[in-house]
Amino acid sequence: MLRRLILSAALSAVAWAGIFPETWFGSRRLRTEAVQPEDPMLWAEYGGEAAERAIYDGPVGRFAATAWRLQDATGALAWYQASRPPKCTPAVRDSLTTCVTPGGSMLVRLNYVFFFEGWRPLPKQLEELFRQTPAMRSGGGLPHLPGYLPEKGLVRNSERYLLGVHSLQKFLPWVSSSLVGFEEGAEVQAAKLELGASATDYAIFYYHTPQLARLKEAEFRKQPGWLVKRSYVLVAVFPPGVPETAAKAILDALEWKAEVIRNEATAPPPPPDVFGLLVGIFKLTGVLLLVCVGGGAIFAVFAAIARRRRIRMYGNDDPYTVIRLD
């Protein structure tokens, strides 16, 4: 019954999305359609909310754009790793979140995953789309765990971020879900590494506290054939059958990197510019003098004109006319 409810919720979430705008960078949207996930259980576990595919036509030609919206950036990265094309080449910049195909690209942007077919948008074109994308949010930012995977020997596009029992069974079936501790907030980054002539699984488990990681390390070491290494809150594991000499170099390189932010006193403000202050005072004084002198001169001119007018009209300079009623 629970499985049916999860499937129903996942499918209803992608019934209609309303993600892509009518026009984008000169191209007009022709039609849209909801995208149904190939694995609804995985979509629900990663926090999928909506998905949409749109067809555009414009100056760059006709192309297709697909967007998946998830709850946060962690779920988006996990979905990106699980659904990107096998031959998608990681970009030189942002290799963790962007890859390119011969005719398009796929990327992660906060809690969204975008896939473009038939056109590869430039950064300024993507920014225009992102400004119009609804419900785009970070949700804590991308996880740091993928950065602990070794670059040497990493099989391209083999990375899989695991957030629950279903993704664990799908991508790392030799690990029991009862050992991992997803109910305690565990997260797993798995990948395949080339060790010698074959590729093998490699998994890094993240736990919120070093005490919990220590307990999990002890349980992992009880598993027959596992090669285990812990570094603070990280526990790295190789499956049975991996040569210890080949795995040792990778396990020894695992080291937790903590980031410490310390508030420090800022530099004192620069001393006031006394000379500039005096120059400003003199300038202001000169302006005020000009206003006063100019205003006085204008008043004097109008007063002289009024005096001459009174003399011409009344024969005297008296501005008042006195009428005596005796």
Side-chain angles (χ1 to χ4, degrees), residues 145 148 202 204-207 209-210 213-214 217 221 228-236 250-258:
L145 193 55
Y148 289 94
Y202 177 62
I204 303 176
F205 299 80
Y206 166 78
Y207 297 97
T209 64
R214 188 181 299 112
E217 177 195 13
R221 290 189 182 278
V228 183
K229 161 72 182 294
R230 185 180 71 88
S231 177
Y232 199 57
V233 294
L234 302 180
V235 182
I250 297 174
L251 293 176
D252 290 344
L254 179 69
E255 183 178 356
W256 167 257
K257 301 178 181 65

Side-chain angles (χ1 to χ4, degrees), residues 72-255:
D72 53 27
T74 299
L77 179 65
W79 184 256
Y80 165 78
Q81 291 185 354
S83 58
R84 61 186 164 182
K87 295 184 179 180
C88 200
T89 304
V92 177
R93 293 184 178 180
D94 302 324
S95 59
L96 177 65
T97 58
T98 305
C99 66
V100 295
T101 62
S105 62
M106 191 172 190
L107 59 95
V108 179
R109 173 71 173 192
L110 299 181
N111 64 318
Y112 270 88
V113 178
F114 293 94
F115 182 41
F116 303 101
E117 303 169 89
W119 181 47
R120 191 180 300 163
L122 297 175
K124 63 178 181 180
Q125 298 160 350
L126 289 172
E127 289 299 326
E128 179 182 334
L129 173 64
F130 297 155
R131 286 194 298 267
Q132 303 179 72
T133 304
M136 181 172 281
R137 56 187 180 273
S138 171
L142 292 171
H144 298 286
L145 193 55
Y148 289 94
L149 288 174
E151 296 182 2
K152 184 178 181 180
L154 182 65
V155 178
R156 178 185 292 181
N157 297 342
S158 66
E159 305 95 321
R160 296 293 183 270
Y161 207 84
L162 316 180
L163 298 175
V165 175
H166 182 75
S167 55
L168 181 72
Q169 294 175 347
K170 183 172 184 176
F171 301 120
L172 217 61
W174 52 272
V175 179
S176 173
S177 59
S178 60
L179 286 175
V180 178
F182 287 114
E183 69 279 1
E184 297 171 311
E187 296 183 6
V188 187
Q189 176 65 74
K192 291 188 178 296
L193 301 181
E194 292 181 352
L195 296 181
S198 60
T200 182
D201 288 331
Y202 177 62
I204 303 176
F205 299 80
Y206 166 78
Y207 297 97
H208 291 301
T209 64
Q211 293 81 6
L212 184 57
R214 188 181 299 112
L215 294 175
K216 293 299 180 181
E217 177 195 13
E219 295 181 15
F220 290 165
R221 290 189 182 278
K222 295 178 183 178
Q223 308 305 311
W226 285 21
L227 300 177
V228 183
K229 161 72 182 294
R230 185 180 71 88
S231 177
Y232 199 57
V233 294
L234 302 180
V235 182
V237 174
F238 276 106
V242 177
E244 186 173 356
T245 54
K248 187 176 185 301
I250 297 174
L251 293 176
D252 290 344
L254 179 69
E255 183 178 356

Side-chain angles (χ1 to χ4, degrees), residues 16-34 51-67 119 128-129 132-134:
W16 182 83
I19 294 174
F20 288 104
E22 288 284 347
T23 58
W24 171 35
F25 206 76
S27 297
R28 181 167 295 278
R29 191 183 69 194
L30 301 180
R31 64 180 184 274
T32 60
E33 60 183 7
E52 184 179 79
R53 187 174 189 267
I55 305 298
Y56 281 90
D57 193 11
V60 298
R62 182 168 296 193
F63 64 93
T66 306
W119 181 47
E128 179 182 334
L129 173 64
Q132 303 179 72
T133 304

Side-chain angles (χ1 to χ4, degrees), residues 38-49:
E38 295 182 1
D39 190 340
M41 291 292 293
L42 188 67
W43 173 253
E45 187 171 273
Y46 285 167
E49 293 182 349

Side-chain angles (χ1 to χ4, degrees), residues 286-308:
V287 171
L288 294 177
L289 287 175
L290 288 176
V291 171
C292 293
V293 173
I298 294 173
F299 178 78
V301 169
F302 280 99
I305 294 174
R307 181 172 178 272
R308 293 184 59 184

